[in-house]
């Protein structure tokens, strides 16, 4: 907004209510669009942008594209300094607009500095990868480490600025944009100082047995509520919220009501204090609360504190308000209002918090940790005091209207520079910096043959482009680095071995920029020509890591670039690509496909990290078997086991699973399996249908027979399966499509299938158990046995899950039907039947409980007649209680067969005959006589 008292000065997004990266970018582009529309800026105008954060860069980029001569000033040593190194906070462009339409769209869809939902550090990398070419193309001047920047008094434009970097300088500008952000966070005396953008361990589970950590979270804005959710919900990730809690159609009425409440508040028909009561009255489905209750952490408790009498603030998003209200309703969070003061108690290693209420009374509680989220101190007040004094109050009042967070521009407004405009002269002279070093090879086990193949390709007299393919976490990057450090490769290429990470490169131009940066090429008007000239100078090895990123976003442009690189004489070009599909490059070699590690190499990898573990421990074999040879999963699990007992690691694995696939403080692709997998799951090659099938496959440890795909996802399953195989999240094997166990576990926890898909899966597999379970020993028994052996892992897994679900009755019946198969085939254990009997008892279903115990007796016959007798006697008591004469007779018949003496045998025969005579079944009485006589 314009500062009326200071001509030509504009303040960008320093006071607005909704603070997100996306809305700040939108406000920046809105401002630039308006300045050009009102001709306050024109082609060739000089613009100063003070602040190198996301808003400042968006404003600078937008203005430069429109033809302005832009200079950016930043006091830190780097641009995007606040969040560029954060690997924990998740940024999403639209999530805080939930439940509005389009809030789940992961892409910002901005014409300038576009990005996709990701960890903050990754988003920063992507923005900077797009920013650098704009600097070179449009001659944007960038000054960092700026000190003593002053806007000198003036009653008209241009405005004079002076500043210090390594030396003093000055300049005149037609417009000055203050994009200094919201300022530094407020602290509270006595409480820990914890910046929102610093990596922390709040969501790390506390492994000490019986330990519960008490948290106090002070602040009811989005920052406070997000950290509250992190300390109370297991495996909480912003990217999982919609899929885990809010994706069900049954929430439609809740979404509508939430939007209505927000509209009523904006029209001042509803007050802020009414939110808590209104949210409490929402028609929330029981399933959501059950899922939240299931995810509540047992190792933490939390109290939320705010100044106001009620906990739900209008300053927070609907999404965070809603989730917090549900946690409070479930008893997972308590609210304490009042002014907070804190004192550290060193002897206890704790904090005393005093809450002062409006009535002047206070009470004290003790906490293990305190998180303070009281918002920022205004940066404008600190850096530009005169402007703050003149206009601060008025601008804050205007900002409360929140009128600028929706785009006022069209994409084509920033599509290209005005006609006739020519690129400005680069601010910095053409230069060459020191090239980046090749990363170290890291641990590489079981890849000797693949390494040999890749080394042979690289050392060929005329190297041809080679692609390395494989699923996420399989070790493609490790293989390429290993080959690059091979003793025969190093002498051939020396320091002209280049490893280029393309995680944030989403176009041909950004690939060129990334390669140039690694080669050490600075600003250059014809950057691609400079890159080619550098690569042609002498033999070179160029490894393009994560090549799928630009290829997915800009297929034709990336393939054209690869074709040009492939034609460079003396260049050995290697690309690593996620999945089973590769870009087309002329003259390329057949791809090298990286597959799972075998058991011995998996053991070697694990023990190279957790070196004190006994290699022969049976628990280690069990633990590694469940990783199915995925190197990243094995490596991360080994880090979790290092310095701990294997028994404890095994116990943690049984309860936490995916929680062990992440190193403390690590949130990049190599230290977090979930981060690595989500890159593929959210990638542009994935379709909605493929994600639906992915969620289904995650519930089926045995995979899906290709012939069953259309039954589970009619009309789209085969195409979806093809996509999953190409992306590398699933693979075809022996007529089935399946997922590796660590991938399956991640998806199962984070992306449950929709209700309709889940229903189809249960109907198909539980129905299979009921239909074929009792056919063994009868006509078609061989076919039934083959089918059930193949599908047993799926059926058993679904029965176990659903015994606690809505279809517990169907699950119990399936378990009973499957018992005959288990008895004759030897597959499976009695665990499922035992659980089914417990569930039946808890539901008061004596008949099903008796059936379960009777089947357990049948299975026990193979081990011990004594154990079988006890079980048959238990089931007999239940059958007589119901009563169920047919089953009473059958149970006595079984007991007669294994009676310990003649008297017991005679007693059971008589009892069986009497039971069947009471229901007029002479056929059964005759069968009894033919088999056992009259006793």
């Amino acid at each position: 907004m314009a500062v009326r008292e200071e001509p030509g000065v504009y303040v960008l997004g320093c006071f607005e209510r909704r603070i997100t990266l996306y809305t700040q970018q939108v406000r920046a582009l809105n401002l630039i669009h308006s300045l050009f529309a009102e001709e306050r800026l024109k082609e060739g105008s000089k613009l100063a942008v003070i602040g190198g954060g996301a808003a400042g860069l968006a404003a600078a980029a937008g203005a430069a594209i429109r033809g302005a001569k832009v200079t950016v000033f930043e006091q830190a040593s780097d641009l995007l300094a606040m969040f560029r190194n954060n690997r924990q906070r998740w940024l999403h462009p639209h999530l805080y607009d939930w439940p509005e339409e389009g809030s789940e769209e992961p892409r910002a869809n901005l014409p300038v500095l576009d990005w996709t939902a990701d960890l903050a550090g990754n988003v920063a990398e992507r923005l900077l990868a797009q920013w650098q070419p704009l600097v070179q193309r449009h001659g944007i001047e960038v000054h960092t480490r700026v000190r003593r920047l002053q806007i000198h008094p003036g009653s008209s434009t241009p405005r004079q600025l002076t500043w210090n970097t390594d030396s003093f300088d000055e300049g005149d500008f037609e417009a000055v944009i203050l994009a200094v952000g919201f300022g530094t966070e407020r602290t509270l005396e006595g409480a820990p100082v914890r910046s929102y953008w610093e990596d922390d361990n709040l969501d790390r589970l506390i492994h000490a047995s019986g330990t519960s950590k008490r948290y106090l979270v002070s602040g009811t804005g989005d920052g406070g509520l997000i950290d509250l959710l992190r300390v109370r919900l297991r495996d909480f990730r912003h990217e999982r919220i919609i899929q885990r809690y809010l994706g069900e159609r049954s929430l439609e009425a809740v979404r509508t009501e939430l939007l209505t409440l927000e509209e009523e508040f904006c029209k001042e028909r509803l007050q802020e204090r009414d939110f808590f009561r209104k949210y409490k009255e929402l028609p929330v489905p029981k399933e959501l609360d059950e899922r939240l209750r299931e995810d509540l952490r047992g190792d933490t408790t939390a109290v939320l504190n705010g100044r106001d009498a009620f906990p739900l603030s209008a300053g927070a998003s609907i999404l965070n308000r809603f989730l917090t209200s549900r946690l409070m309703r479930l008893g997972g969070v308590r609210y304490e209002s009042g002014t907070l003061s804190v004192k550290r108690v060193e002897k206890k290693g704790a904090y005393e918090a005093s809450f002062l209420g409006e009535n002047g009374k206070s009470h004290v509680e003790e906490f293990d940790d305190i998180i303070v989220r009281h918002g920022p101190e205004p940066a404008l007040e600190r850096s530009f005091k005169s402007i703050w004094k003149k206009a601060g109050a008025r601008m804050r009042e205007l900002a409360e209207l929140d009128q600028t967070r929706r785009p006022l521009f069209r994409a084509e407004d920033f599509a290209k520079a005005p006609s006739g405009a020519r690129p400005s002269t680069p601010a910095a002279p053409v230069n060459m910096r020191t090239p980046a070093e090749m990363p170290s090879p890291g641990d590489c086990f079981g890849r000797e043959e693949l390494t040999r193949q890749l080394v042979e390709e690289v050392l060929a007299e005329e190297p041809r482009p080679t692609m390395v393919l494989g699923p996420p976490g399989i070790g493609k990057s490790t293989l390429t680095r290993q080959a690059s450090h091979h003793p025969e490769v190093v002498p051939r290429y020396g320091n002209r071995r280049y490893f280029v990470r393309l995680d944030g490169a989403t176009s041909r131009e950004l690939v060129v920029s990334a390669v140039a940066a690694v080669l050490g090429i600075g600003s250059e008007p014809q950057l691609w020509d400079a890159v080619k000239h550098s690569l042609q100078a002498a033999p070179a090895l160029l490894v393009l890591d994560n090549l799928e990123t630009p290829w997915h976003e800009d297929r034709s442009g990336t393939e054209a670039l690869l074709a040009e690189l492939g034609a460079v004489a003396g260049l050995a070009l290697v690309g690593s690509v996620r999945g089973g599909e590769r870009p087309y490059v002329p003259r390329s070699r057949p791809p090298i496909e990286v597959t799972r590690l075998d058991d011995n190499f998996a053991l070697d990898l694990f023990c190279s990290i957790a070196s004190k573990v006994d290699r022969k421990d049976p628990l280690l074999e069990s633990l590694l078997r469940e990783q199915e040879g995925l190197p990243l999963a094995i490596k991360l699990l080994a880090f979790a086991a290092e310095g701990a007992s294997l028994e404890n690691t095994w116990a943690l694995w049984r309860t936490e699973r995916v929680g062990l696939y992440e190193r403390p403080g690590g949130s990049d692709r190599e230290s977090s399996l979930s981060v690595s997998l989500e890159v593929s799951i959210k990638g542009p090659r994935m379709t909605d249908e493929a994600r639906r099938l992915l969620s289904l496959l995650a519930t089926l440890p045995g995979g899906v027979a290709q012939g069953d795909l259309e039954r589970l996802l009619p009309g789209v399953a085969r195409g979806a399966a093809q996509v999953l195989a190409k992306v590398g999240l699933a693979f075809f094997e022996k007529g089935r499509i399946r997922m590796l166990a660590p991938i399956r576990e991640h998806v199962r926890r984070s992306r449950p299938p929709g209700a309709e898909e889940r229903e189809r899966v249960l109907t198909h597999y539980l129905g299979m158990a009921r239909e074929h379970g009792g056919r063994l020993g009868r006509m078609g028994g061989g076919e039934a046995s083959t089918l059930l052996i193949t599908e047993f892992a799926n059926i058993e897994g679904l029965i176990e899950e659903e015994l606690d679900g809505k279809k517990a009755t169907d699950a119990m019946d399936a378990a009973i039907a499957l018992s005959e198969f288990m008895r004759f085939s030897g597959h499976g254990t009695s665990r499922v039947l035992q659980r089914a009997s417990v569930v039946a008892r808890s539901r008061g279903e004596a008949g099903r409980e008796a059936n379960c115990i009777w089947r357990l007796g049948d299975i026990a016959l193979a081990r011990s007649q004594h154990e079988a007798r006890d079980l048959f006697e238990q089931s007999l008591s239940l059958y007589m209680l119901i009563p169920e004469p047919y089953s009473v007779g059958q149970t006595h018949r079984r007991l007669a067969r294994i009676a310990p003496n003649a008297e017991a045998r005679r007693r059971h025969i008589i009892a069986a005959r009497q039971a069947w005579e009471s229901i007029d079944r002479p056929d059964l009485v005759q069968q009894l006589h033919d088999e056992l006589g009259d006793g």
Side-chain angles (χ1 to χ4, degrees):
M1 68 183 75
V3 182
R4 285 193 313 224
E5 297 82 353
E6 294 283 350
V9 177
Y10 305 88
V11 173
L12 176 55
C14 293
F15 306 103
E16 278 75 1
R17 183 163 62 92
R18 186 63 53 86
I19 310 172
T20 71
L21 173 65
Y22 170 76
T23 56
Q24 289 293 77
Q25 288 180 292
V26 168
R27 290 179 180 116
L29 295 179
N30 279 343
L31 176 58
I32 297 302
H33 172 69
S34 300
L35 291 176
F36 274 92
E38 296 180 10
E39 297 188 351
R40 300 190 188 189
L41 281 179
K42 302 176 183 178
E43 182 184 338
S45 296
K46 295 181 69 176
L47 169 67
V49 177
I50 301 174
L57 295 196
I65 290 171
R66 294 290 296 267
K69 295 179 179 178
V70 180
T71 302
V72 176
F73 299 92
E74 168 57 46
Q75 66 177 358
S77 58
D78 297 292
L79 301 176
L80 301 181
M82 181 177 289
F83 66 90
R84 68 183 293 166
N85 293 317
N86 183 277
R87 302 291 174 182
Q88 200 163 46
R89 298 289 182 182
W90 186 262
L91 297 180
H92 191 294
H94 309 291
L95 191 65
Y96 281 4
D97 290 328
W98 185 89
E100 292 181 14
E101 192 72 28
S103 58
E104 298 169 40
E105 167 58 45
R107 187 166 180 173
N109 290 315
L110 292 169
V112 177
L113 302 185
D114 194 22
W115 54 283
T116 302
D118 204 339
L119 292 166
N122 296 341
V123 172
E125 287 178 8
R126 188 163 185 172
L127 294 177
L128 291 170
Q130 297 172 73
W131 166 257
Q132 194 56 41
L134 293 174
V135 171
Q136 295 164 350
R137 188 177 305 129
H138 300 288
I140 302 173
E141 287 191 37
V142 179
H143 299 283
T144 56
R145 297 189 180 91
V146 174
R147 307 182 312 280
R148 296 183 57 79
L149 187 147
Q150 296 184 54
I151 305 173
H152 289 268
S155 57
S156 63
T157 59
R159 301 301 302 268
Q160 184 184 40
L161 269 61
T162 59
W163 64 90
N164 283 72
T165 50
D166 293 334
S167 60
F168 175 82
D169 209 341
E170 61 85 30
D172 292 335
F173 300 91
E174 277 78 16
V176 178
I177 294 178
L178 301 179
V180 293
F182 290 83
T184 55
E185 296 172 58
R186 292 183 175 93
T187 58
L188 181 66
E189 185 179 354
V193 177
R194 179 187 280 114
S195 170
Y196 183 84
W197 293 107
E198 287 180 7
D199 288 339
D200 56 43
N201 61 354
L202 294 180
D203 44 17
R204 182 71 175 170
L205 292 175
I206 301 165
H207 294 157
S209 176
T211 300
S212 180
K213 190 169 184 177
R214 289 200 78 206
Y215 283 96
L216 171 63
V217 180
S218 183
T220 55
D222 280 316
L225 298 190
I226 289 167
D227 283 343
L228 177 72
L229 296 171
R230 289 176 62 209
V231 300
R232 287 304 289 128
L233 290 176
R234 186 185 299 108
D235 295 331
F236 177 83
R237 294 287 187 277
H238 255 113
E239 67 271 31
R240 300 177 189 165
I241 287 178
I242 299 296
Q243 294 88 351
R244 178 68 176 153
Y245 305 123
L246 307 175
E248 297 290 339
R249 293 177 183 172
S250 55
L251 273 173
E252 196 58 45
V254 173
R255 293 190 189 97
T256 301
E257 182 61 23
L258 285 169
L259 288 174
T260 300
L261 291 175
E262 202 69 8
E263 185 178 355
E264 292 292 297
F265 174 77
C266 292
K267 293 180 178 178
E268 299 185 354
R269 297 173 186 165
L270 188 74
Q271 296 189 27
E272 189 176 51
R273 64 171 178 266
D274 298 325
F275 277 136
F276 183 75
R277 174 173 49 84
K278 292 291 187 180
Y279 276 39
K280 192 167 62 173
E281 295 169 354
L282 290 169
V284 177
K286 291 182 179 178
E287 294 81 2
L288 172 60
D289 285 343
E290 288 170 1
R291 193 165 287 171
L292 283 166
R293 186 179 285 110
E294 176 187 333
D295 288 347
L296 275 174
R297 289 171 60 175
D299 61 337
T300 63
T301 60
V303 171
L304 176 65
N305 162 251
R307 287 178 175 272
D308 298 326
F310 293 92
L312 302 185
S313 163
S317 64
I318 299 176
L319 173 68
N320 289 327
R321 263 188 258 147
F322 175 64
L323 288 175
T324 299
S325 73
R326 299 321 300 170
L327 283 188
M328 297 185 75
R329 188 158 177 78
L330 293 173
V333 173
R334 177 164 58 86
Y335 182 66
E336 288 288 346
S337 64
T339 302
L340 179 68
S341 59
V342 174
K343 181 173 71 174
R344 175 70 172 170
V345 184
E346 294 294 346
K347 289 183 179 179
K348 297 182 179 179
Y351 297 89
E352 282 186 359
S354 174
F355 303 92
L356 178 63
E358 292 181 358
N359 57 7
K361 295 182 179 180
S362 64
H363 75 279
V364 176
E365 294 187 42
E366 193 172 279
F367 297 91
D368 297 304
D369 201 355
I370 296 178
I371 304 162
V372 177
R373 298 286 179 243
H374 289 174
E377 298 281 358
L380 195 66
E381 180 180 13
R382 185 183 71 250
S383 301
F384 297 95
K385 292 182 179 179
S386 63
I387 293 177
W388 173 264
K389 288 179 181 178
K390 291 177 184 177
R394 179 181 60 79
M395 288 191 291
R396 187 184 290 279
E397 186 177 325
L398 284 172
E400 285 295 318
L401 299 175
D402 202 17
Q403 295 174 323
T404 59
R405 70 183 178 96
R406 306 292 186 191
L408 306 175
F409 53 84
R410 301 167 303 172
E412 52 265 35
D413 292 329
F414 297 98
K416 58 183 179 180
S419 59
R422 304 180 71 174
S424 307
T425 304
V430 176
N431 64 84
M432 290 292 292
R433 299 185 298 268
T434 302
E437 291 185 8
M438 171 67 68
S440 60
D443 297 321
C444 190
F445 292 88
R447 304 300 192 201
E448 288 78 10
E449 178 57 26
L450 295 180
T451 303
R452 184 193 63 76
Q453 291 179 33
L454 186 52
V455 167
E456 284 184 0
E457 304 290 1
V458 167
L459 293 177
E461 186 174 343
E462 294 184 6
R464 289 161 59 184
T466 304
M467 297 295 135
V468 178
L469 310 182
I474 203 69
K476 301 178 295 297
S477 301
T478 301
L479 175 65
T480 58
R481 294 200 302 263
Q482 182 76 5
S484 300
H485 284 273
H486 191 274
E488 295 178 50
V489 173
V490 174
R492 169 79 172 268
Y493 295 105
N495 62 359
R496 289 180 59 77
R497 293 168 297 135
Y498 306 115
F499 188 90
V500 184
R501 303 179 192 276
L502 299 177
D503 309 49
T506 54
S507 67
R508 171 194 170 109
E509 291 76 17
L510 295 180
V511 174
V512 173
S513 295
V515 175
V518 171
L519 294 179
I521 300 173
S523 300
E524 176 64 64
Q526 302 299 324
L527 193 60
W528 176 227
D529 291 339
V531 167
K532 286 193 294 184
H533 178 77
S534 175
L535 292 173
Q536 290 166 347
L541 168 61
L542 179 63
V543 179
L544 301 179
D545 193 50
N546 295 118
L547 182 55
E548 73 281 351
T549 303
W551 184 50
H552 296 169
E553 297 280 357
D554 183 9
R555 183 167 292 226
S556 60
T558 302
E559 289 186 349
L561 178 69
L562 292 174
E564 290 191 62
L565 285 171
V568 173
L571 176 66
L573 177 64
V574 176
S576 69
V577 183
R578 286 182 172 222
E581 189 181 23
R582 57 180 168 141
Y584 170 71
V585 187
R587 298 177 54 253
S588 60
R589 295 278 189 182
I592 293 175
E593 298 188 37
V594 187
T595 56
R596 292 173 279 170
L597 291 178
D598 69 21
D599 293 345
N600 290 331
F601 289 123
L603 181 63
D604 290 341
L605 173 58
F606 187 93
C607 292
S608 72
I609 298 169
S611 55
K612 295 183 180 180
V613 168
D614 182 0
R615 294 173 64 96
K616 298 181 180 180
D617 192 320
L619 280 181
L620 181 55
E621 182 182 349
S622 301
L623 190 64
L624 292 179
R625 187 185 307 117
E626 297 200 26
Q627 311 316 311
E628 291 198 320
L630 189 67
L632 181 57
I634 296 166
K635 185 177 178 180
L636 294 172
L637 203 58
F639 281 121
E642 187 180 18
S645 72
L646 198 56
E647 290 79 6
N648 190 59
T649 303
W650 174 254
L652 287 172
W653 167 252
R654 304 299 295 173
T655 55
E656 290 189 31
R657 300 270 174 173
V658 295
L660 297 185
Y661 287 146
E662 186 168 327
R663 296 192 71 184
S667 38
D668 58 26
R669 298 187 190 192
E670 294 188 3
S671 57
S672 169
L673 183 63
S674 64
V675 171
S676 180
L677 294 177
E678 287 297 318
V679 170
S680 292
I681 294 170
K682 295 174 179 175
R685 270 196 300 176
M686 283 288 282
T687 61
D688 289 340
E689 293 77 15
R691 292 187 184 93
R692 287 165 61 195
L693 180 57
L694 187 74
S695 295
L696 286 185
L697 281 174
T699 66
L700 302 169
V704 177
Q706 291 185 50
D708 288 340
L709 281 170
E710 288 298 319
R711 293 189 183 95
L712 302 182
L713 207 60
V716 298
R718 293 195 181 278
Q722 199 79 356
V723 171
L724 291 180
K726 287 183 176 183
V727 173
L729 292 170
F731 57 94
F732 291 104
E733 183 180 71
K734 297 179 180 178
R736 305 178 72 80
I737 183 169
R738 58 184 299 264
M739 299 161 65
L740 292 177
I743 300 176
R744 188 177 66 247
E745 190 65 32
H746 167 77
V747 177
R748 187 179 70 83
R749 293 285 188 102
S750 62
R751 297 173 177 272
E756 188 176 339
E757 279 91 1
R758 175 76 176 179
E759 178 73 24
R760 277 199 292 268
V761 167
L762 292 173
T763 300
H764 179 66
Y765 288 101
L766 299 187
M768 188 184 294
R770 292 194 298 270
E771 180 182 351
H772 298 285
R775 289 176 59 188
L776 272 72
R778 304 173 189 170
M779 184 176 294
E783 180 185 335
S785 176
T786 301
L787 177 64
L788 291 176
I789 287 172
T790 304
E791 301 292 356
F792 188 78
N794 292 337
I795 296 171
E796 186 179 51
L798 289 169
I799 289 173
E800 287 208 74
E801 286 183 12
E802 208 55 34
L803 283 172
D804 297 323
K806 295 179 180 178
K807 288 189 170 290
T809 299
D810 291 346
M812 287 187 284
D813 290 346
I816 293 165
L818 204 59
S819 63
E820 194 78 357
F821 162 76
M822 290 191 287
R823 182 163 74 98
F824 283 109
S825 71
H827 282 267
T829 67
S830 57
R831 183 183 68 248
V832 172
L833 268 174
Q834 290 168 347
R835 277 205 62 218
S837 69
V838 172
V839 172
R841 185 184 311 128
S842 69
R843 294 164 62 98
E845 298 186 29
R848 285 193 170 85
E849 182 187 0
N851 288 343
C852 290
I853 297 173
W854 195 91
R855 297 290 185 178
L856 286 169
D858 240 7
I859 293 171
L861 276 172
R863 299 190 303 270
S864 162
Q865 287 192 357
H866 176 74
E867 182 185 349
R869 272 196 301 274
D870 285 347
L871 290 165
F872 285 136
E873 292 285 1
Q874 291 177 43
S875 64
L876 180 62
S877 300
L878 290 167
Y879 284 137
M880 294 177 70
L881 185 65
I882 297 174
E884 177 55 64
Y886 171 82
S887 298
V888 168
Q890 288 285 26
T891 309
H892 278 298
R893 184 179 185 177
R894 278 285 199 277
L895 286 166
R897 290 174 180 168
I898 58 174
N901 53 56
E903 175 57 30
R905 173 188 170 93
R906 186 183 68 82
R907 187 173 68 252
H908 285 303
I909 291 173
I910 293 171
R913 184 171 62 242
Q914 290 173 345
W916 286 335
E917 286 174 346
S918 72
I919 57 174
D920 194 22
R921 291 295 303 271
D923 56 325
L924 296 176
V925 173
Q926 185 62 46
Q927 290 175 19
L928 179 67
H929 174 76
D930 293 344
E931 179 188 356
L932 300 172
D934 294 326

